[in-house]
Amino acid sequence: MKDKMQVKDYITVGVVLAIYFIGFNFIAGALVAISSKFLFVAQGACSLILAPLYMLFIAKVQKKWAILIFGVVMVTLVFIATGGAWPVLFGYVGVIIAEFVSRSGNYRSFLKNNIAYIFFSYWSLGLLLVYYFMGENVLKTAGLTDQQIIDWMQAITIRNLVLGIVIIALCSFVGGLIGRAMLKKHFERAGIA
């Protein structure tokens, strides 16, 4: 295995990033549109559903800095979209930890990749902290009605943030198990992973 990223690896990072980013926004957006009560569940649902994509990415690009590049670009896009520093703080710290945890297992240890995915997934907590600390201003800019803003602000509590941490960890881990099963059953047979 070559350690340096090749052009095809950067292309893979870009394609997976686009799918992940669109998938996250679609899943979270759909759940939150139903009700603000799904705000914290949406983060976990995204971690669960997108885990197979992440696991395929790790299996395909087992190179130093691939996770970090993927995560930094994604978190930077979120920062540009929200204007809040919290996604950057949680995102960069999470993806740095994810990079080094996966690297410690040579990107081949399922357990280490799954733990890394939990840290990687914590970037989305930063989104919730934007609303917690900047609340009404961000929500008004997003075009929410007064009642929607009240509902969101009532949902964003310290208790729910802690619950969000637990939900993301559990969903990420279970999603990783599903991703591993899918890799073995479908992608390895097809020669993709």
Side-chain angles (χ1 to χ4, degrees):
M1 169 177 87
K2 294 180 182 177
D3 275 345
K4 292 189 177 182
M5 296 274 290
Q6 306 293 317
V7 173
K8 68 177 185 155
D9 299 320
Y10 288 108
I11 292 170
T12 302
V13 168
V15 169
V16 171
L17 174 64
I19 295 168
Y20 186 95
F21 194 74
I22 292 167
F24 185 91
N25 284 305
F26 178 77
I27 296 162
L31 287 171
V32 173
I34 294 169
S35 171
S36 61
K37 291 176 178 57
F38 289 134
L39 192 58
F40 293 90
V41 175
Q43 312 300 320
C46 290
S47 297
L48 177 72
I49 295 168
L50 296 171
L53 177 65
Y54 182 87
M55 293 301 172
L56 177 61
F57 167 70
I58 297 300
K60 196 78 176 139
V61 184
Q62 297 178 342
K63 306 281 176 70
K64 287 182 182 177
W65 310 120
I67 295 169
L68 189 65
I69 292 167
F70 173 35
V72 165
V73 172
M74 183 190 59
V75 171
T76 302
L77 289 173
V78 171
F79 170 71
I80 291 168
T82 64
W86 291 103
V88 173
L89 175 67
F90 270 77
Y92 290 162
V93 170
V95 298
I96 289 168
I97 293 170
E99 172 68 41
F100 286 104
V101 169
S102 281
R103 187 183 299 179
S104 72
N106 255 355
Y107 305 98
R108 295 182 187 275
S109 166
F110 165 71
L111 181 60
K112 289 186 178 185
N113 287 339
N114 209 3
I115 291 169
Y117 181 61
I118 293 169
F119 284 105
F120 182 90
S121 297
Y122 281 142
W123 73 267
S124 63
L125 283 176
L127 289 172
L128 301 176
L129 289 173
V130 167
Y131 301 127
Y132 183 78
F133 288 108
M134 299 172 62
E136 294 182 20
N137 297 333
V138 173
L139 297 172
K140 283 179 184 173
T141 305
L144 272 66
T145 66
D146 289 340
Q147 186 57 47
Q148 288 172 320
I149 292 171
I150 291 168
D151 291 343
W152 275 56
M153 295 311 294
Q154 287 175 346
I156 301 171
T157 63
I158 294 294
R159 183 181 70 88
N160 284 346
L161 288 169
V162 171
L163 183 62
I165 291 170
V166 173
I167 289 171
I168 289 171
L170 291 173
C171 289
S172 296
F173 192 79
V174 171
L177 294 172
I178 294 167
R180 179 183 188 192
M182 288 177 70
L183 280 174
K184 284 188 177 294
K185 185 172 182 179
H186 300 292
F187 298 118
E188 285 178 3
R189 272 193 221 153
I192 296 172

